[in-house]
Amino acid sequence: MKMLKSCLTGLALSVAASVAPAAEVEVLHYLTSSGEAAAIDVLKKYLKGAGHNWKDFAVAGGGGESAMTVLKSRAISGNPPAAAQIKGLDIQEWGELGFLTDMDAIARAGNWDELLPPVVSKVMKYDGKYVAVPVNVHRVNWIWANPEVFRKAGVGIPTTWQQFLEVAPKIKAAGFVPLAHGGQAWQDATLFEAVALGLGGAEFYNKAFVEHDDATLQSEQMVKVFETFKQLGDYIDPNASGRDWNIATSMVINGEAAMQVMGDWAKGEFTAAGQQPGVDYVCLPAPNTSGTFTFNIDSFAMFELNDEQRAKAQQHLARLVMEPSFQKTFNLNKGSIPARLGMDRAPFDSCAHASMDAFVASASSGTLVPSFAHGLATTSQVQGAIFDVVTNFFNSDMSAQDAVAKLARSVKAAQL
Amino acid sequence: MNNIDAVQTLSEAKRAPLARIQDRLADWLPKLVLTPTLLVVLVCMYGYILWTGLLSLTNSRLLPVWNFIGTGQYDRLFDNDRWLVALNNLVLFGGLFILVCLALGVFLAILLDQKIRQEGALRTIYLYPMAISFIVTGTAWKWLLNPSLGLEKLVHSWGFDSFSFDWLVDPDRVVFCLVIAAVWQSSGFVMAMFLAGLRGVDQEMVKAAQLDGASMPTIYRRIILPSLKPVFFSAFVILAHIAIKSFDLVAALTGGGPGYSSDLPANFMYTHAFTRAQMGLGAASAMVMLGGVLAILVPYLYSELRGKRNA
């Protein structure tokens, strides 16, 4: 008996000894596509180098829906991971529920307020304190075009929606799909967002989708946005229903389709296909939106932990994410631009340069707007309500007037 | 007398300890064995039904919060166009699915019941789709029904260019695609139920009818099918609850699209409770679905229990 006891104690001690110095950082994320996985591997390596254990908690599914479901059950059971990939206003929601931990000490030490543009740091803070770390900034209002298809159709790449509606029939007549698209609610919303920003401008966009001003939602301008949006439906192939965005991108890559309106994560697909920006494909701001920038920021929110060792490791993770070396490698793989300012531009390609320039320029001119299609502008309730109206309008013969009335009504209902 | 009693009690007292324990155990054993199951059912079924019911009266969003707001979520639910579309789809999908499955199931069962060769093999072939999950069915039919990949393309490649079968991408017809896939999966099972029922029909009655000069169709219409009433009823109940809980088929076949035109209530519930952080609204829709199931189950249970009492 005595021997058993001493054996157990010895075992327990040895276990405790092996665990104590290297604390574990569990990170829940949905960065599972090949480029993204390579990006997150960098972070893993850095963390290991610092003597911490990375516990991967990847839940596949690009939109992160299944990841959020898993996160909720873990949080309710009182065992949240150290960090989770949460973005936009969801960070506020989690902060309100009291799950997130204050990272202000690290932020002050790392001078985050200086390094991050105010738009970005605002998203990362709950109640004035940093609770999340940004990994990148995506520009959503891009158009990805195959110049070969445009040459064959004998038209130029449109820079306004008016031009788009002029060239699209010609592209269609030449036997190509003018607009590659996937009929999923968020893709419909991404396209709608580009039309709304292009036709209405940044002020209109902010009033409608950030402030939810009733008069703006019901305005003549909004009717026009819906009308133009509907016209785009004629230039999408009939099989778009339910198609994933990367399949739509591959239509542009293969020369089946002329262009796609999509965020700069699409660039990863072109890169993976061995194509060069400016040569095999062209990135341009979505029509009428050259001076504006719709942003989508990915971030890791930090959860409150009661184990001190693990909390230390968590802080280390937060520091590492803000390091230039991580931000560089991650964003080169993901197609986005670094969230922190003052980075070396040289490794990035021309599309990323254009994005960086537009980001800085739009921030100073007040035309930097949050993407509602990606959860940066509004709560998930209002976002869902807008999605429903937009996707239903796009897929039915509802009139633009009805759609506008419906939009105003459901946005109001979702805010209750 | 007294003596004998005394002797008896004495001998009873002797063997008492063991026997009493055995008796008690025999008394307790069934209860003991049933307790875990009962507890699981009570907590996991009725407990969570109650929990969901309470949630539906709160304004819970991302996680449950116990801030009661009365029936506000139900008002919002029935003000929500997407929910109304989902309900409408359920009526259309459920109605067609049950009708076609029953009709096809009876028809196949009657054909198989003609004492044909290789009946066992044929029966297995028809029954096999039931062994596949709705996810697989949905994915396979998604390919078959996709205009640029499946049937339409096949017929086009045969040279019939005017052929068009694009229900999958047509918001007004996409529900019929759900019906096609669901019927393919479930009608074999209904057939098996009816086949068993047909085998149980009293052949004497059939022979008597034949002697009276009744034709085969008349025999089926007037004698055999009416005697299968309980089978119809069971099949209806099973199909109805498959229809109401349908979720995976929609998720795999259409993803709710185009737009949300092929959403069913279960998909609405999942979207709102889990991905859109509207747990209260999701709970309310779950309770309405429960109401739908009960509306079918209660009359069924009632008739079952009453039938037993009469017998």
Side-chain angles (χ1 to χ4, degrees):
Chain A
M1 198 60 199
K2 226 175 193 173
M3 202 163 109
L4 185 71
K5 237 183 201 168
S6 60
C7 274
L8 279 178
T9 333
L11 198 68
L13 276 179
S14 69
V15 167
S18 68
V19 163
E24 178 183 271
V25 188
E26 191 176 17
V27 182
L28 178 123
H29 62 89
Y30 45 94
L31 299 164
T32 47
S33 87
S34 62
E36 292 171 338
I40 206 75
D41 263 343
V42 184
L43 194 56
K44 247 179 253 184
K45 248 177 246 149
Y46 284 146
L47 208 64
K48 279 230 175 83
H52 298 293
N53 281 331
W54 170 282
K55 189 173 172 198
D56 205 40
F57 189 3
V59 182
E65 287 179 356
S66 18
M68 286 308 110
T69 311
V70 177
L71 179 62
K72 268 180 235 172
S73 54
R74 285 281 301 267
I76 291 180
S77 68
N79 179 30
Q85 192 187 353
I86 305 177
K87 68 181 186 185
L89 290 184
D90 283 348
I91 296 174
Q92 305 299 319
E93 192 99 25
W94 282 100
E96 209 171 301
L97 290 165
F99 280 108
L100 301 184
T101 188
D102 178 1
M103 284 277 134
D104 253 11
I106 304 289
R108 259 198 307 276
N111 212 4
W112 290 8
D113 273 332
E114 296 286 309
L115 289 173
L116 296 175
V119 211
V120 178
S121 60
K122 196 180 140 214
V123 179
M124 299 303 131
K125 286 177 179 175
Y126 170 70
D127 207 12
K129 296 194 169 73
Y130 279 98
V131 290
V133 227
V135 292
N136 64 4
V137 176
H138 279 297
R139 187 182 195 183
V140 186
N141 56 327
W142 279 116
I143 207 163
W144 305 89
N146 185 327
E148 190 57 34
V149 173
F150 278 92
R151 215 172 0 256
K152 280 183 193 155
V155 292
I157 302 173
T159 53
T160 67
W161 286 113
Q162 192 57 44
Q163 273 179 24
F164 181 98
L165 294 174
E166 281 161 18
V167 302
K170 289 175 192 155
I171 299 172
K172 202 175 177 180
F176 300 101
V177 177
L179 187 61
H181 184 71
Q184 295 173 339
W186 72 268
Q187 293 188 57
D188 291 344
T190 303
L191 188 59
F192 177 79
E193 180 178 272
V195 178
L197 183 64
L199 294 185
E203 199 183 329
F204 164 81
Y205 181 96
N206 275 329
K207 266 203 163 144
F209 301 116
V210 182
E211 295 158 28
H212 310 311
D213 173 46
D214 198 51
T216 312
L217 284 171
Q218 298 205 49
S219 61
E220 246 339 278
Q221 184 67 56
M222 192 59 90
V223 177
K224 237 178 251 159
V225 168
F226 270 99
E227 276 167 354
T228 311
F229 177 56
K230 184 66 162 222
Q231 282 174 291
L232 301 183
D234 294 340
Y235 305 112
I236 294 169
D237 65 311
N239 301 319
S241 177
R243 177 189 287 149
D244 285 324
W245 67 271
N246 50 338
I247 309 288
T249 310
S250 70
M251 288 169 66
V252 178
I253 296 175
N254 300 337
E256 254 175 86
M259 56 195 148
Q260 181 185 19
V261 175
M262 186 48 62
D264 47 20
W265 48 91
K267 198 168 69 186
E269 299 293 310
F270 288 98
T271 312
Q275 297 205 330
Q276 292 295 322
V279 184
D280 307 298
Y281 68 96
V282 177
C283 54
L284 280 175
N288 296 95
T289 65
S290 63
T292 47
F293 190 111
T294 322
F295 67 87
N296 174 22
I297 304 170
D298 284 319
S299 49
F300 285 117
M302 299 298 171
F303 278 76
E304 184 82 54
L305 303 172
N306 24 22
D307 181 304
E308 206 171 310
Q309 287 295 332
R310 285 178 66 201
K312 273 220 175 94
Q314 177 190 43
Q315 291 173 358
H316 208 104
L317 172 79
R319 251 199 311 270
L320 281 175
V321 168
M322 281 293 286
E323 290 285 319
S325 48
F326 168 73
Q327 295 258 336
K328 185 189 89 186
T329 328
F330 185 87
N331 287 298
L332 280 175
N333 279 306
K334 203 158 186 275
S336 39
I337 60 171
R340 55 175 285 167
L341 300 170
M343 299 250 319
D344 180 18
R345 289 163 58 111
F348 291 91
D349 62 21
S350 57
C351 294
H353 287 162
S355 182
M356 289 173 189
D357 292 340
F359 186 62
V360 176
S362 62
S364 60
S365 68
T367 51
L368 181 63
V369 297
S371 160
F372 83 77
H374 299 275
L376 270 294
T378 179
T379 60
S380 49
Q381 290 93 317
V382 177
Q383 185 192 1
I386 303 176
F387 273 27
D388 281 352
V389 175
V390 166
T391 191
N392 189 31
F393 169 77
F394 201 48
N395 289 292
S396 68
D397 42 20
M398 196 195 299
S399 77
Q401 260 84 11
D402 287 352
V404 164
K406 215 173 183 181
L407 179 71
R409 191 158 47 86
S410 9
V411 167
K412 212 187 276 174
Q415 282 173 287
L416 292 180
Chain B
M1 275 301 257
N2 273 345
N3 263 350
I4 296 168
D5 268 0
V7 171
Q8 251 179 5
T9 36
L10 203 71
S11 68
E12 256 174 34
K14 259 185 198 159
R15 68 177 181 97
L18 192 68
R20 231 183 274 149
I21 290 173
Q22 270 179 345
D23 281 352
R24 272 218 194 128
L25 207 63
D27 262 5
W28 279 96
L29 198 62
K31 289 173 196 160
L32 215 72
V33 171
L34 280 179
T35 308
T37 330
L38 193 71
L39 271 180
V40 167
V41 169
L42 271 182
V43 173
C44 294
M45 297 271 302
Y46 298 99
Y48 286 124
I49 288 177
L50 197 72
W51 165 272
T52 310
L54 283 175
L55 263 184
S56 74
L57 301 174
T58 69
N59 62 351
S60 304
R61 299 209 311 239
L62 193 64
L63 294 174
V65 287
W66 301 107
N67 182 7
F68 291 95
I69 54 161
T71 57
Q73 298 287 11
Y74 292 91
D75 295 341
R76 279 181 60 200
L77 186 65
F78 282 95
D79 206 28
N80 189 316
D81 289 324
R82 187 168 179 171
W83 172 250
L84 297 178
V85 166
L87 276 189
N88 215 353
N89 281 344
L90 178 64
V91 172
L92 198 63
F93 166 74
L96 279 173
F97 167 64
I98 294 170
L99 272 182
V100 178
C101 261
L102 284 179
L104 210 62
V106 171
F107 182 65
L108 287 173
I110 290 175
L111 289 186
L112 272 187
D113 197 32
Q114 304 307 315
K115 306 196 171 57
I116 52 171
R117 243 191 296 170
Q118 291 300 327
E119 188 208 309
L122 283 173
R123 203 173 48 207
T124 314
I125 289 175
Y126 285 123
L127 201 54
Y128 246 109
M130 196 67 190
I132 299 173
S133 85
F134 264 124
I135 290 285
V136 179
T137 306
T139 310
W141 278 96
K142 180 166 84 178
W143 293 331
L144 286 173
L145 295 169
N146 186 316
S148 68
L149 210 66
L151 270 177
E152 186 177 297
K153 187 171 182 241
L154 182 74
V155 178
H156 279 191
S157 68
W158 287 342
F160 302 97
D161 279 336
S162 59
F163 177 82
S164 154
F165 185 63
D166 58 354
W167 288 4
L168 192 66
V169 294
D170 181 348
D172 297 326
R173 300 221 171 83
V174 65
V175 177
F176 301 125
C177 290
L178 294 179
V179 175
I180 292 173
V183 164
W184 176 82
Q185 164 128 351
S186 303
S187 55
F189 173 64
V190 178
M191 174 206 76
M193 284 178 77
F194 276 105
L195 202 54
L198 284 173
R199 295 285 146 84
V201 172
D202 190 357
Q203 290 302 313
E204 298 296 314
M205 266 203 306
V206 177
K207 275 182 194 142
Q210 275 170 337
L211 283 181
D212 284 345
S215 66
M216 248 358 235
T218 319
I219 293 175
Y220 269 108
R221 198 160 47 85
R222 305 292 290 270
I223 298 174
I224 298 183
L225 290 184
S227 69
L228 290 179
K229 215 167 106 190
V231 184
F232 270 107
F233 210 68
S234 311
F236 173 78
V237 169
I238 291 173
L239 291 176
H241 96 253
I242 290 181
I244 291 182
K245 71 175 190 189
S246 274
F247 169 82
D248 33 8
L249 183 63
V250 178
L253 183 61
T254 66
Y260 52 74
S261 54
S262 60
D263 247 3
L264 289 180
N267 302 83
F268 179 94
M269 189 280 291
Y270 181 79
T271 312
H272 284 79
F274 297 111
T275 63
R276 281 204 183 162
Q278 301 194 43
M279 207 163 260
L281 192 68
S285 66
M287 291 313 284
V288 175
M289 281 168 65
L290 176 71
V293 175
L294 286 183
I296 295 168
L297 269 186
V298 168
Y300 173 71
L301 287 179
Y302 181 73
S303 75
E304 282 277 290
L305 294 176
R306 200 188 48 179
K308 278 209 186 103
R309 216 172 292 146
N310 286 350

